[in-house]
Amino acid sequence: MKSSLQVITLGCSKNTVDTEHLLGRLGDAFSIVTEEYTGKVDYLLLNTCGFIGDAKEESINAVLEAVERKKRGEVGKLIVFGCLSQRYSSEMPGLIPEVDEWYGARDLDPVVRALGVDPSDAVDTARYLSNPGKGYAYLKISEGCDRRCSYCAIPHIRGAHRSVPIEKLVEEAAALAGKGIKELVVIAQDTTYYGLDLYGRRSLAELLQRLSEVSGIEWIRIHYSYPADFPEDVLDQMATNPKVCKYLDIPLQHVSDPVLKCMRRNVDGKWTRELIRTLRQRVPGVALRTTIMVGHPGEGENEFNELLDFIREAGFERLGAFAYSEEEGTYGAGHFKDEVPAEIKQSRLDALMELQRNVSLDFNRSRVGSVEKVIVDDYVDGILVCRSKFESPDVDGEILVKYDGADAGELVGNFIDVRIEGADEYDLIASRI
């Protein structure tokens, strides 16, 4: 009998891709069980996150829970890898000695070898999908980051930017399409930097065109684009290529010049506002998602009020926000004092999200009565859980369709047309046409 293997993945979608690549490299050497499985397993792997305080705490708690399972005889060998162990490689083995082996986040081959399998370049693009049956998958186009934002530990954890060659990504996309994937969510620490290290030029637009030529792929969505030196040929793809969604996730973090300077973002407020205008002019109907940070050093009441004015002006269809937390090893931790009290950070966060709720509600209400093509992600209790081009999986709202047809289960992972009939701040109600 094959040994049983369970992998629990914490953190972002980039970690999900790492886990899927790891399992793909193992081939059929193990019997894979789901993350939710609570029985005995021969091997338990934890893919950890170590980006910010909350994520580190979640990862450490997961490791401690796994240790308890091991003590109860429910786990044979416990292996931890990913961002947390990469960031704290010298400390973690001594702190939690019950873990059998610790590995980092930059190379999966040591983990593969620890499981008794020889790594092979022939399976570099192999993926074991963690959400089988669904119609979307993430495609990680590069690793690491050359930016040096003051608050971010990613370059210390993941290393320098390294693009995946276009040919490998096209091969991977074709394999995913062969498994029923119809939507690719293109991700990286910075997608707009793609290709500079391999081709001497920003090549995201070329990659999008090549991916759109893969048979079976119908939607391509872009996440995590850096605002500085944004490659405008990407906008041509979004505006004219029917497979490239008019959707862009572009984390701006702030708009006030003093804060952006402290953040070392290499842009100012004027550039940021002009970029948003350009995006909307060049790609009519685009849905913009951004991420905002409050409470960073340099942010006083005036800077925060400027940020609120910008959010009203920009009208982001989608927005996430979080409060600054000082991270050891970053430029900010070494050069700035975290002076904004926690209660002020929280009140600013609450005010920002209350403003965004109204912006999102207006956008969703504007769609009532429209007919939209959606992809069905799930079927739960008589409801088809769907998304349009304006909603990305895991981070945005959903379109909920009441449906009792006998073919409901067969619709998951496929496209249908719906009419939008109702809206709230996050989700929409629709009927199938």
Side-chain angles (χ1 to χ4, degrees):
M1 292 181 61
K2 296 179 183 178
S3 297
S4 57
L5 172 67
Q6 181 180 32
V7 185
I8 296 176
T9 303
L10 303 165
C12 66
S13 52
K14 294 182 283 293
N15 275 10
T16 298
V17 176
D18 287 345
T19 291
E20 293 180 351
H21 275 300
L22 171 65
L23 293 176
R25 292 186 186 188
L26 297 177
D28 60 356
F30 290 87
S31 174
I32 310 298
V33 303
T34 65
E35 285 200 18
E36 296 74 26
Y37 182 72
T38 57
K40 290 185 177 181
V41 292
D42 296 308
Y43 293 86
L44 173 58
L45 276 63
L46 290 178
N47 188 354
T48 57
C49 181
F51 179 43
I52 58 176
D54 289 346
K56 288 185 286 187
E57 181 178 357
E58 180 186 19
S59 291
I60 291 172
N61 287 338
V63 174
L64 295 176
E65 290 173 10
V67 166
E68 290 303 312
R69 286 180 63 187
K70 185 180 178 185
K71 289 179 179 178
R72 294 194 299 267
E74 298 169 2
V75 171
K77 190 170 185 178
L78 176 58
I79 298 174
V80 179
F81 68 108
C83 293
L84 182 76
S85 49
Q86 178 77 50
R87 190 172 183 182
Y88 302 105
S89 58
S90 60
E91 296 97 328
M92 296 307 297
L95 291 173
I96 312 179
E98 297 86 352
V99 174
D100 292 291
E101 299 192 48
W102 296 85
Y103 296 98
R106 300 182 186 181
D107 188 359
L108 297 176
D109 284 354
V111 186
V112 175
R113 292 190 186 96
L115 294 169
V117 177
D118 290 329
S120 169
D121 292 341
V123 293
D124 268 358
T125 58
R127 295 269 292 272
Y128 179 97
L129 292 180
S130 55
N131 57 351
K134 296 194 175 182
Y136 70 89
Y138 295 97
L139 184 71
K140 187 161 72 168
I141 65 173
S142 65
E143 184 57 273
C145 186
D146 287 351
R147 309 288 185 179
R148 290 296 182 267
C149 301
S150 65
Y151 51 84
C152 185
I154 290 297
H156 307 288
I157 298 172
R158 291 283 181 168
H161 174 91
R162 305 180 303 283
S163 300
V164 180
I166 288 178
E167 291 72 23
K168 279 195 173 184
L169 291 170
V170 171
E171 178 185 340
E172 185 173 335
L176 290 170
K179 295 182 178 182
I181 295 301
K182 298 175 177 63
E183 176 185 7
L184 296 176
V185 184
V186 172
I187 56 171
Q189 270 77 32
D190 176 7
T191 53
T192 53
Y193 215 72
Y194 176 78
L196 272 174
D197 54 324
L198 290 180
Y199 310 115
R201 64 185 186 280
R202 296 176 187 270
S203 307
L204 179 58
E206 180 182 351
L207 173 63
L208 294 172
Q209 178 59 43
R210 292 284 302 277
L211 292 175
S212 72
E213 295 166 4
V214 174
S215 178
I217 299 300
E218 298 190 39
W219 283 0
I220 304 170
R221 191 183 303 273
I222 309 169
H223 269 231
Y224 316 128
S225 296
Y226 195 87
D229 303 316
F230 188 91
E232 294 196 11
D233 55 355
V234 171
L235 302 184
D236 295 331
Q237 283 287 321
M238 294 175 66
T240 63
N241 190 329
K243 290 190 176 183
V244 179
C245 295
K246 293 183 178 182
Y247 178 105
L248 183 66
D249 187 323
I250 182 165
L252 297 173
Q253 308 302 351
H254 218 281
V255 74
S256 172
D257 287 350
V259 182
L260 290 170
K261 184 176 181 179
C262 288
M263 287 181 169
R264 305 176 84 196
R265 292 289 283 172
N266 299 311
V267 296
D268 58 18
K270 181 180 178 182
W271 169 278
T272 303
R273 291 182 176 88
E274 183 57 37
L275 175 60
I276 298 304
R277 284 192 288 268
T278 299
L279 291 173
R280 295 206 183 277
Q281 289 169 0
R282 295 277 298 274
V283 189
V286 67
L288 298 179
R289 176 178 180 82
T290 195
T291 304
I292 297 296
M293 183 189 301
V294 299
H296 190 279
E299 184 188 76
E301 287 300 322
N302 289 338
E303 288 76 20
F304 179 65
N305 288 330
E306 181 182 0
L307 175 62
L308 292 180
D309 289 340
F310 172 64
I311 298 303
R312 293 188 190 94
E313 167 195 332
F316 294 104
E317 287 77 9
R318 307 286 178 234
L319 182 146
F322 62 102
Y324 171 75
S325 65
E326 185 176 278
E327 292 296 317
E328 66 271 24
T330 62
Y331 181 91
H335 292 79
F336 304 127
K337 187 175 180 181
D338 186 5
E339 294 182 324
V340 181
E343 61 270 19
I344 298 297
K345 290 179 183 176
Q346 188 60 50
S347 68
R348 290 177 182 175
L349 188 61
D350 292 343
L352 177 65
M353 293 312 298
E354 179 61 30
L355 170 59
Q356 180 58 30
R357 274 191 285 273
N358 293 325
V359 174
S360 296
L361 179 60
D362 288 344
F363 171 63
N364 282 351
R365 282 177 172 170
S366 73
R367 299 162 64 186
V368 173
S370 65
V371 173
E372 299 189 13
K373 177 182 178 180
V374 300
I375 191 167
V376 181
D377 284 339
D378 208 348
Y379 180 66
V380 182
D381 298 330
I383 301 294
L384 295 171
V385 181
C386 312
R387 292 176 297 104
S388 75
K389 288 187 176 183
F390 300 125
E391 288 87 33
S392 195
D394 302 322
V395 293
D396 294 331
E398 298 164 328
I399 300 175
L400 307 176
V401 181
K402 188 174 181 180
Y403 188 73
D404 58 4
D407 62 340
E410 299 172 7
L411 295 177
V412 175
N414 292 296
F415 292 100
I416 61 173
D417 290 327
V418 301
R419 178 174 284 106
I420 308 299
E421 297 179 341
D424 63 21
E425 295 96 329
Y426 301 107
D427 299 328
L428 297 105
I429 304 300
S431 60
R432 186 183 181 194
I433 297 178

